[in-house]
C-alpha cells in the first residue's frame, strides 16, 4: 500500500453569494490592491489516502468529497493528487 | 490588460496543531474511511488580477498573500495561475 497525498478544494457554487469574499475584496481594494477582483473564499482539505494505486486513492477521495466534505446544495469540490507534497511509502 | 485567474492556498504551518482537521479526520475514520489520514483544513482564495502579463499578476498575488491573506506566524501560502478557470479579457 502507498500513501497518496491528496488536496481537495471545496468552493461555493458560482450562483451562491459569498459575503466573506466580498468583504475581503472590499478591504483589499481599499488598501491599494485595486487590480484584484472576483474574490471568493473556499475551503482546502489536505489529506492522505492509503491505496493500492493512484486510481483507487482518487476514488476514495472523491467519495469523501461527495459523502462528507462538500454540501452538494451549495458547494462543489475538486480533488487532485498533490505531487508537491511529501508522500510516504507505508510498509508494503 | 488581461484578467488572470489566480488561486491561493493558505495552510497552517506543519508545526501548528489543527484541531478542526483532527476532529474531521476522527469522524471520517469512524464512518468507514479508515484509509484517510493526515487531514488538515486550510483556506482557499480564488480571485482575479488585472495585469499586463502573467509575471506581474503573480507578483501582485504574492504580495496579497504576504500582506493580507496569510498570517506569517501560523500560516504559509502558495499561489498559482488557475488555468482551469475562465479568464476574461478585460478590454484593452
Amino acid at each position: 500500500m502507498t500513501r497518496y497525498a491528496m488536496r481537495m478544494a471545496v468552493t461555493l457554487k458560482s450562483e451562491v453569494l459569498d459575503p466573506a469574499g466580498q468583504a475581503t475584496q472590499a478591504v483589499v481594494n481599499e488598501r491599494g490592491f485595486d487590480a484584484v477582483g472576483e474574490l471568493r473564499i473556499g475551503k482546502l482539505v489536505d489529506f492522505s489516502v492509503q491505496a493500492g494505486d493512484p486510481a483507487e486513492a482518487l476514488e476514495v477521495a472523491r467519495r469523501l468529497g461527495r459523502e462528507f466534505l462538500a454540501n452538494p446544495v451549495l458547494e462543489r469540490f475538486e480533488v487532485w493528487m498533490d505531487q508537491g507534497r511529501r508522500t510516504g511509502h507505508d510498509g508494503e
Side-chain angles (χ1 to χ4, degrees), chain A residues 2-9 44-51 53-65 69 77-88:
Chain A
T2 303
R3 202 183 306 142
Y4 295 94
M6 316 293 298
R7 176 162 267 192
M8 186 181 296
L44 186 81
V45 190
D46 286 320
F47 55 98
S48 64
V49 176
Q50 286 202 63
D53 59 60
E56 187 193 329
L58 264 174
E59 180 44 40
V60 170
R62 288 202 191 98
R63 208 150 50 80
L64 187 67
L69 300 180
F77 71 90
E78 302 151 72
V79 67
W80 63 94
M81 299 253 165
D82 190 359
Q83 310 288 355
R85 231 159 76 235
R86 179 192 50 77
T87 57

Side-chain angles (χ1 to χ4, degrees), chain A residues 6-22:
Chain A
M6 316 293 298
R7 176 162 267 192
M8 186 181 296
V10 181
T11 51
L12 288 169
K13 288 182 179 175
S14 56
E15 64 270 31
V16 179
L17 271 181
D18 174 19
Q22 289 175 339

